[in-house]
Amino acid sequence: NAGVTQTPKFRILKIGQSMTLQCTQDMNHNYMYWYRQDPGMGLKLIYYSVGAGITDKGEVPNGYNVSRSTTEDFPLRLELAAPSQTSVYFCASSYSGAEGGSTYEQYFGPGTRLTVT
Amino acid sequence: SQKIEQNSEALNIQEGKTATLTCNYTNYSPAYLQWYRQDPGRGPVFLLLIRENEKEKRKERLKVTFDTTLKQSLFHITASQPADSATYLCALGGRALTFGSGTRLQVQP
């Protein structure tokens, strides 16, 4: 199992450009998440998904969009990039099953370091 | 609003000693509290989860306590090793997590 993979590892964007951060997991997890981490700070939740076709906003969703068409993939779209979106972005996944079969531990990808100039 | 506080100052201890990290929170009543380890340039790695009805949880050299009255969790690493040097993050919740900013632990040989 590769776990959670993210691409690209690094990206520099100009203000106003758009891009999609890719996230894939091969653990058949139904929950997936996007967080951002600014230097010296904790992670802040951007969006999350409880399964294919279902997404919900987290603490800091403005400026981002997500979709979940498959169990495996959860891309994060940045429209009209701004310097405030300079951060490290982490994708994570977790599993929720029938009673007693859920685990709450989240598995994180290696992150995408994004700079907007 | 919810607030989580972890000591922003690095904790420096000698190898073999017990490291104790603190997580305090306000305006929140989490059913679960989780601890993660993060190494530089990497994503967080899950360590332990404790439920609101549990006072203490252990895993090998790790121990977590959860005091819902004080709104505080303590994270202990016994017999610490240089390999334990990392940033440790406290997170509230079971699914959509709210993270603290983490405490950096440095274990000196």
Side-chain angles (χ1 to χ4, degrees), chain A residues 31 33 35 37 40-43 45 48 90 94-96 102-106 108-110 113, chain B residues 32 34 36 38 41-46 49 51 89 93-102:
Chain A
Y31 279 74
Y33 315 83
Y35 295 90
Q37 185 176 34
M41 305 293 287
L43 286 77
L45 183 66
Y48 67 101
F90 289 102
S94 67
Y95 174 73
S96 175
S102 295
T103 65
Y104 294 95
E105 61 184 281
Q106 295 189 13
F108 284 81
R113 187 175 295 273
Chain B
Y32 308 93
Q34 305 187 32
Y36 287 78
Q38 187 173 27
R42 294 180 175 270
V45 174
F46 173 81
L49 176 146
R51 290 172 166 77
L89 304 169
R95 299 294 177 198
L97 298 177
T98 301
F99 280 86
S101 56

Side-chain angles (χ1 to χ4, degrees), chain A residues 6-11 21 87-90 110-114:
Chain A
Q6 293 183 240
T7 56
K9 285 186 170 50
F10 305 93
R11 183 72 185 270
L21 281 67
S87 191
V88 180
Y89 291 83
F90 289 102
T112 293
R113 187 175 295 273
L114 176 68

Side-chain angles (χ1 to χ4, degrees), chain B:
Chain B
S1 61
Q2 300 165 10
K3 191 174 180 182
I4 305 174
E5 289 185 351
Q6 292 187 258
N7 195 342
S8 58
E9 290 186 17
L11 177 64
N12 291 290
I13 63 169
Q14 287 297 120
E15 183 175 6
K17 301 292 186 184
T18 295
T20 298
L21 286 69
T22 304
C23 175
N24 294 297
Y25 59 92
T26 57
N27 299 326
Y28 198 67
S29 297
Y32 308 93
L33 189 147
Q34 305 187 32
W35 283 90
Y36 287 78
R37 169 184 173 141
Q38 187 173 27
D39 291 289
R42 294 180 175 270
V45 174
F46 173 81
L47 296 175
L48 279 170
L49 176 146
I50 187 165
R51 290 172 166 77
E52 61 179 340
N53 60 350
E54 297 175 319
K55 297 289 186 191
E56 183 180 296
K57 198 84 167 278
R58 291 174 184 263
K59 179 183 176 182
E60 298 172 354
R61 295 185 295 113
L62 308 180
K63 184 178 85 170
V64 172
T65 63
F66 192 10
D67 189 324
T68 55
T69 301
L70 290 179
K71 293 187 181 296
Q72 180 182 79
S73 174
L74 299 179
F75 177 80
H76 307 271
I77 305 176
T78 58
S80 59
Q81 305 165 1
D84 294 326
S85 298
T87 295
Y88 291 85
L89 304 169
C90 165
L92 304 185
R95 299 294 177 198
L97 298 177
T98 301
F99 280 86
S101 56
T103 298
R104 189 163 62 87
L105 172 67
Q106 191 72 34
V107 181
Q108 307 291 345

Side-chain angles (χ1 to χ4, degrees), chain A residues 4-69:
Chain A
V4 179
T5 57
Q6 293 183 240
T7 56
K9 285 186 170 50
F10 305 93
R11 183 72 185 270
I12 298 174
L13 278 183
K14 293 190 186 305
I15 295 172
Q17 286 185 320
S18 301
M19 76 165 294
T20 300
L21 281 67
Q22 301 291 346
C23 175
T24 299
Q25 55 92 8
D26 63 358
M27 297 173 283
N28 202 30
H29 285 172
N30 44 357
Y31 279 74
M32 294 187 74
Y33 315 83
W34 275 105
Y35 295 90
R36 60 175 286 175
Q37 185 176 34
D38 299 328
M41 305 293 287
L43 286 77
K44 292 189 186 297
L45 183 66
I46 305 171
Y47 271 96
Y48 67 101
S49 169
V50 304
I54 306 169
T55 62
D56 209 347
K57 295 178 181 178
E59 183 183 356
V60 290
N62 291 344
Y64 307 94
N65 279 300
V66 294
S67 60
R68 183 101 181 266
S69 56

